[in-house]
Amino acid sequence: MAKKSVVLYPGLGVGHLTPMVALAKVFLQHGAAVTVALVEPHVKAPDFSAVVARAEAANPSVTFHVLPPPPPEPAAAPADSSVSSGGTPAHFIAMMFDYLRAMNAPLRDFLRSLPAVDALVLDMFCGDALDVAAELHLPVYYFYASGAGDLAVFVNISRVPTANFADLGDSLVSFPGAPPFKASDLPKEVVTDSPGAKAILGALYRLPEADGILVNTLESLETQAVCALRDGLCVPDHSTPPVYCIGTLVSGGGGEKEHECLRWLDTQPDKSVVFLCFGSMGAFPKEQLEEIAIGLERSGQRFLWVVRSPRNPDMFGQPVPEPDLEALLPEGFLGRTKDIGLVIKSWAPQVDVLRHRATGAFVTHCGWNSTLEGITAGQPLLCWPLYAEQRMNKVFIVEVMELGVEMKGYNEELVKAEEVETKVKWVMESEGGQELRKRVAEVKDRAAEALKEGGSSHAAFVQFLKDLDT
């Protein structure tokens, strides 16, 4: 087979770049040449250059190319300045899609400049780049970095009226490939009539136009959703392209051996520490932080907790200040718990923490990257979804995969200290927690086998390369 040359186009955001880099490594393993075309954020992000530099240093065999920005357009007044459930202004979402659409011209020029391109692989939000691929007669695929369950729901919901979902509250809704779940677990970003919702649904609507969809999942983990997709149940008005389950792809970790939290974990007993981390956008108000702290202290369990400063929607897109732990947490908490707990400001090397022998459970926001990192490290999941598709992920983790339990109150004003205490003790001490740990360990082993030669995910990627040749 001739060496393939592929261009990956991850769109905006570190959460979208990270899984694309993991995909780039798979292409390299199969002998392809890989270029990642990057979009510099339209809202200045001081860490963008640093993220790119780290990616380049860690992946010298991958070419990273930052596309030039499009010509500036006259600023228009935002049509909707409301804030979504994740704290993202709805008009900012619409602006993001407008910006990605404007990036078609720089992307087209870059692709034309390359000596050969055998395929363009898009992020789920880069649907307008389908037009570039069509113009250049390039095979085009999506890399869907979330799960097959999400994909099944989203391609279906993009084809039905969504406005009424917002009024259904906790009423159950049904979609092919998914168990019945509460309408309130649908992303707030897609069940409104805002420009942002219309932009997201428009991007999801175009997913079936691709030549195929690579999904970052393990087929045996989401059999129901994968079957519904392949049987065409999720896209009744359009043929569904081939779906390739090539996961689970996660970051390799290992780059932060000297971080203080890892040195602290080295001093803890095996599987004794509960790790709490809520993603790059996950932050709580002071009142919720206090409830978590009280619950952790009452539980008596060892813990490692990443705390971010509470978010100010008016400062969206601006650097977030480092949290003042003494001011945010209950008086005396840090001193009283210093022998059993460690609180880290803003960031921790999550993959390394999850794989550490001392870590025994993961309290997570259910972002898909974090979910897979937890599962492949063999950690039982305490599910505390915050925004976007995370509430749907919680449904699949708890009800379909049976690899986690719900932190009750996530969809109310507060998760109470009593719930934190009860669930943390349950997962670390109870027979049910041990059964959960065994199930996760089994899936961890299956996921590792799937990526080896002859495994299901390896075979799916080989089939994708064969189909690309036809």
Side-chain angles (χ1 to χ4, degrees):
M1 186 182 299
K3 185 172 183 176
K4 298 293 183 185
S5 179
V6 299
V7 174
L8 310 185
Y9 188 46
L12 291 165
V14 175
H16 294 259
L17 172 60
T18 299
M20 276 286 194
V21 171
L23 176 63
K25 293 178 181 178
V26 180
F27 273 107
L28 290 176
Q29 291 166 7
H30 289 266
V34 185
T35 299
V36 181
L38 295 166
V39 177
E40 188 162 7
H42 52 305
V43 174
K44 290 299 179 185
D47 61 344
F48 176 75
S49 296
V51 168
V52 175
R54 285 199 297 270
E56 288 177 325
N59 303 277
S61 298
V62 177
T63 300
F64 291 86
H65 177 83
V66 179
L67 297 170
E73 295 184 1
D80 183 354
S81 59
S82 62
V83 174
S84 74
S85 58
T88 304
H91 75 275
F92 182 88
I93 297 173
M95 287 168 56
M96 178 189 76
F97 279 98
D98 288 343
Y99 187 73
L100 286 172
R101 188 177 306 113
M103 287 300 301
N104 273 6
L107 176 65
R108 182 188 304 109
D109 293 341
F110 174 63
L111 293 172
R112 282 176 170 160
S113 74
L114 297 175
V117 180
D118 292 297
L120 175 64
V121 181
L122 306 177
D123 177 84
M124 63 176 285
F125 286 158
C126 296
D128 287 304
L130 288 164
D131 300 328
V132 175
E135 182 179 340
L136 301 181
H137 305 290
L138 291 177
V140 60
Y141 294 81
Y142 276 101
F143 176 49
Y144 195 79
S146 195
D150 289 348
L151 177 61
V153 172
F154 281 149
V155 294
N156 189 255
I157 204 173
S158 69
R159 293 173 139 69
V160 299
T162 58
N164 63 318
F165 287 120
D167 301 324
L168 294 178
D170 288 343
S171 300
L172 294 181
V173 292
S174 297
F175 297 94
F181 60 88
K182 294 181 293 186
S184 57
D185 281 329
L186 286 166
K188 299 294 186 294
E189 292 84 352
V190 301
V191 294
T192 69
D193 197 34
S194 71
K198 291 175 181 176
I200 293 173
L201 291 169
L204 296 170
Y205 187 87
R206 297 199 69 179
L207 279 166
E209 296 178 30
D211 294 297
I213 304 174
L214 305 168
V215 187
N216 190 13
T217 195
L218 179 66
E219 182 164 348
S220 64
L221 196 61
E222 299 192 87
T223 306
Q224 179 184 1
V226 173
C227 288
L229 286 162
R230 288 180 175 159
D231 290 345
L233 303 180
C234 306
V235 192
D237 60 345
H238 192 288
S239 60
T240 303
V243 173
Y244 308 91
C245 297
I246 62 168
T248 54
L249 307 181
V250 299
S251 166
E256 299 285 343
K257 295 179 181 177
E258 297 305 313
H259 195 282
E260 65 168 310
C261 70
L262 297 177
R263 294 197 299 270
W264 180 81
L265 284 169
D266 288 340
T267 68
Q268 307 303 314
D270 289 359
K271 298 191 183 303
S272 66
V273 177
V274 178
F275 178 47
L276 301 90
C277 190
F278 299 92
S280 59
M281 300 281 285
F284 294 108
K286 175 179 169 63
E287 187 179 9
Q288 180 64 83
L289 292 174
E290 290 177 339
E291 291 289 320
I292 297 172
I294 294 168
L296 288 175
E297 186 173 0
R298 288 177 180 169
S299 77
Q301 301 297 318
R302 299 172 191 270
F303 65 87
L304 173 60
W305 180 17
V306 181
V307 172
R308 293 178 174 273
S309 294
R311 294 182 66 192
N312 180 351
D314 294 333
M315 298 293 290
F316 187 83
Q318 303 301 314
V320 178
E322 203 169 68
D324 182 344
L325 299 179
E326 294 285 356
L328 291 171
L329 302 178
E331 184 177 357
F333 169 78
L334 294 173
R336 291 192 303 273
T337 60
K338 62 182 175 59
D339 292 332
I340 64 166
L342 179 65
V343 181
I344 295 292
K345 296 180 180 181
S346 301
W347 182 86
Q350 180 166 291
V351 172
D352 297 303
V353 169
L354 289 168
R355 294 179 182 177
H356 196 284
R357 59 159 185 81
T359 305
F362 184 23
V363 182
T364 174
H365 65 307
C366 303
W368 193 247
N369 290 341
S370 291
T371 297
L372 294 185
E373 288 166 3
I375 290 171
T376 56
Q379 301 296 349
L381 306 178
L382 296 179
C383 300
W384 189 330
L386 300 178
Y387 56 89
E389 83 288 358
Q390 294 161 14
R391 295 181 175 202
M392 285 168 42
N393 288 343
K394 182 269 305 179
V395 173
F396 292 109
I397 293 166
V398 174
E399 298 185 25
V400 178
M401 305 173 197
E402 298 183 329
L403 300 180
V405 293
E406 173 187 315
M407 295 289 278
K408 293 181 179 177
Y410 71 88
N411 57 345
E412 299 168 11
E413 288 188 13
L414 283 177
V415 173
K416 298 291 188 181
E418 291 79 8
E419 174 69 2
V420 175
E421 175 189 1
T422 299
K423 285 291 166 58
V424 165
K425 290 175 71 173
W426 179 87
V427 76
M428 299 301 284
E429 295 181 349
S430 75
E431 186 174 324
Q434 291 304 312
E435 289 299 316
L436 178 59
R437 195 179 311 280
K438 289 178 184 177
R439 288 198 297 274
V440 180
E442 292 171 1
V443 174
K444 172 188 174 182
D445 292 341
R446 291 203 330 251
E449 289 298 319
L451 292 171
K452 295 177 181 177
E453 188 167 356
S456 62
S457 296
H458 183 277
F461 199 84
V462 169
Q463 185 61 52
F464 154 68
L465 293 176
K466 288 180 180 177
D467 293 345
L468 185 55
D469 253 354
T470 59

